[in-house]
Amino acid sequence: MIINSGKNERTLGIYVHVPFCLSKCKYCGFYSQAEGDEKKTLSSTGDKAVAASPLTVEAYMKSLLEDIEEYSRVYEDCNFIVDTVFFGGGTPSILPYEFIGEIIAALRKGFTFVKGQPEISIEANPKTLTADKLKAYREYGINRLSIGVQSFDNRMLEFLGRAHRAEDAAETFKLAREQGFDNINLDLMFGLPNQTMNSWRDSLDKVLSLKPEHLSLYSLQLEEGTELFRMFENGEFAQLSDELDRDMYHYALERLNKEGYDHYEISNWALRKDLRCRHNLKYWDLSEYLGLGPSAASYVNGVRFSEEPGFEYRENSLEDNAAELAFTALRTGEGIDRQLFCERIGVSFEDVFPDIMKRLEEHARCGRLEIDDRFIRLTEKGIDTSNQIMSLFV
Ligand SMILES: C[S@@+](CC[C@H](N)C(=O)[O-])C[C@H]1O[C@@H](n2cnc3c(N)ncnc32)[C@H](O)[C@@H]1O
Ligand code: SF4
């Protein structure tokens, strides 16, 4: 089923998963293996690391380049215009930069890119960037950099098993600026065991002093299969209280608002509207994207699929699309746009979800949602119970 995109041209985002890291952070359930892990099996690196055989960079590159060729043939008649590419991971910046150049060249050969400036982002770990690498990225057309900082408190970084120290993050940021990057995202984590409000304030102060264009702030999730999960089960640390976790989030909301950042998604802030991550926006409004590399997920031609073993190739029904659009749009600052919903799904929100609408109205009466003629959005209070509200659509 192809849903009405509401746009004339058919744009496509491409996600490239790079499943390699310097070392495995204790909290991370993303599909990746640490350097030197080629000798081990991927299944030992976290619950989402599902492949049972080792992967070398060479094997990864070979299979990725073959997939690019194959998918470009499969979608030849769709006339897609690629307007975003996102290298995520894992740690894409760990690859020799020539490989990134090779991947972009293969994508440009196989697909039509938007005229002007497609958004091309790459995720990076502070320890993996050099001036040469950054310079090469710019030459390949990469115009957005996302650096995993996590914290400016070295005790926190150590506890999390990060490969870098606070000083490395600031230095890497400066290096990226020197090489001309003018669209940089920094990731920070909060709600960490033993993290104090002072430590969080200090990390925010330091990150803001760098004036990044974009910030992603994530509350720590204990992911099954990770080292941190094992440590928690063994009673090696206590989780931070929900209250303090929420206080940290609300402190950041207020602070970033004062600094002029636009809070456009639960975990994301941009300095201006045009600095929002265009690729990630696709995940929240049911736009089409192709995921390449192990574990990457795709949504193309109304079909969800992934290379992950056991993942079912699923043609989305109208109900699936309606629920996914509502669920993901609730994460955004604008919320569910009922006009857009009707254009995309072909039926009004109230007609698809009459019972859920009543529940949403109850949440609105309790101050957790704002509902006007067009939008349904979470309030600041609602964000704290967003899982409960979103679960209405699952
Ligand atoms: C896939 S990582 C990419 C960045 C790069 N690999 C690095 O860590 O430097 C994306 C971000 O997800 C966040 N993240 C990963 N695991 C998380 C977890 N369990 N809880 C909260 N945030 C997490 C981190 O902030 C991380 O920077
Ligand atoms: S470097 Fe990033 S992707 Fe790799 S293990 Fe750490 S958080 Fe996960």
Side-chain angles (χ1 to χ4, degrees), residues 24-32 41-51 221-229 295 308-309:
K24 193 74 198 172
C25 306
K26 290 180 189 160
Y27 56 86
C28 181
F30 283 97
Y31 186 114
S32 70
T41 62
L42 277 180
S43 55
S44 65
T45 61
D47 68 328
K48 286 182 195 143
V50 285
Q221 304 298 307
L222 263 188
E223 302 274 359
E224 238 177 280
T226 58
E227 173 67 3
L228 207 62
F229 191 85
S295 90
E308 207 168 300

Side-chain angles (χ1 to χ4, degrees), residues 21 27-30 89-91 123-126 147-148 150 162 187-189 218-221 223:
C21 291
Y27 56 86
C28 181
F30 283 97
T91 306
E123 284 184 338
N125 181 294
I147 306 174
Q150 321 311 355
R162 293 290 296 176
D187 288 340
L188 281 186
M189 290 168 74
Y218 299 111
S219 166
L220 174 71
Q221 304 298 307
E223 302 274 359

Side-chain angles (χ1 to χ4, degrees), residues 112-367:
T112 306
F113 273 53
V114 71
K115 289 200 185 76
Q117 282 234 326
E119 177 191 87
I120 308 186
S121 309
I122 189 162
E123 284 184 338
N125 181 294
K127 272 282 192 202
T128 58
L129 289 174
T130 59
D132 284 351
K133 224 177 229 184
L134 288 159
K135 192 162 173 264
Y137 290 170
R138 298 283 303 160
E139 280 162 15
Y140 303 144
I142 294 177
N143 46 24
R144 187 172 182 278
L145 193 65
S146 177
I147 306 174
V149 173
Q150 321 311 355
S151 174
F152 277 100
D153 182 337
N154 278 326
R155 285 167 315 163
M156 292 293 120
L157 292 175
E158 216 168 286
F159 176 81
L160 295 172
R162 293 290 296 176
H164 76 274
R165 293 181 61 80
E167 311 76 76
D168 300 324
E171 268 166 36
T172 301
F173 184 89
K174 282 177 196 137
L175 202 59
R177 281 283 194 247
E178 279 161 24
Q179 292 304 321
F181 279 91
D182 57 4
N183 190 358
I184 304 182
N185 169 61
L186 300 179
D187 288 340
L188 281 186
M189 290 168 74
F190 63 95
L192 307 173
N194 297 319
Q195 190 178 25
T196 60
M197 193 57 153
N198 270 345
S199 158
W200 176 233
R201 274 198 211 110
D202 183 60
S203 281
L204 275 179
D205 281 346
K206 294 205 166 104
V207 93
L208 287 168
S209 72
L210 298 173
K211 301 198 187 336
E213 284 68 31
H214 193 284
L215 280 166
S216 298
L217 311 183
Y218 299 111
S219 166
L220 174 71
Q221 304 298 307
L222 263 188
E223 302 274 359
E224 238 177 280
T226 58
E227 173 67 3
L228 207 62
F229 191 85
R230 189 199 59 73
M231 287 164 66
F232 176 69
E233 295 230 297
N234 284 348
E236 290 176 38
F237 67 86
Q239 272 183 293
L240 206 76
S241 71
D242 273 357
E243 206 188 352
L244 187 48
D245 175 272
R246 290 299 86 197
D247 283 351
M248 289 179 176
Y249 184 74
H250 288 280
Y251 174 77
L253 273 177
E254 209 174 297
R255 184 77 211 278
L256 298 190
N257 187 31
K258 271 196 203 131
E259 300 283 337
Y261 284 84
D262 161 37
H263 184 213
Y264 72 100
E265 196 268 346
I266 291 183
S267 309
N268 288 287
W269 284 257
L271 253 188
R272 290 192 315 265
K273 202 169 171 184
D274 62 310
L275 292 167
R276 293 175 177 187
C277 177
R278 277 158 47 199
H279 183 85
N280 284 343
L281 286 172
K282 288 181 187 283
Y283 299 136
W284 304 315
D285 75 356
L286 217 58
S287 294
E288 292 178 289
Y289 55 89
L290 174 66
L292 299 164
S295 90
S298 305
Y299 179 67
V300 187
N301 286 339
V303 177
R304 289 220 169 273
F305 56 96
S306 165
E307 308 254 321
E308 207 168 300
F311 190 94
E312 276 177 42
Y313 180 93
R314 193 184 79 214
E315 190 153 347
N316 265 15
S317 65
L318 182 135
E319 289 75 20
D320 291 333
N321 276 332
E324 279 175 24
L325 181 55
F327 178 89
T328 50
L330 261 185
R331 294 190 60 88
T332 65
E334 264 110 39
I336 302 168
D337 177 343
R338 282 187 280 176
Q339 191 174 310
L340 183 80
F341 181 96
C342 199
E343 281 167 22
R344 293 270 169 112
I345 306 295
V347 189
S348 78
F349 182 83
E350 293 79 351
D351 284 344
V352 185
F353 299 120
D355 295 336
I356 292 180
M357 191 62 207
K358 286 191 196 121
R359 303 281 300 277
L360 295 177
E361 279 160 356
E362 280 167 30
H363 282 297
R365 278 192 287 279
C366 299

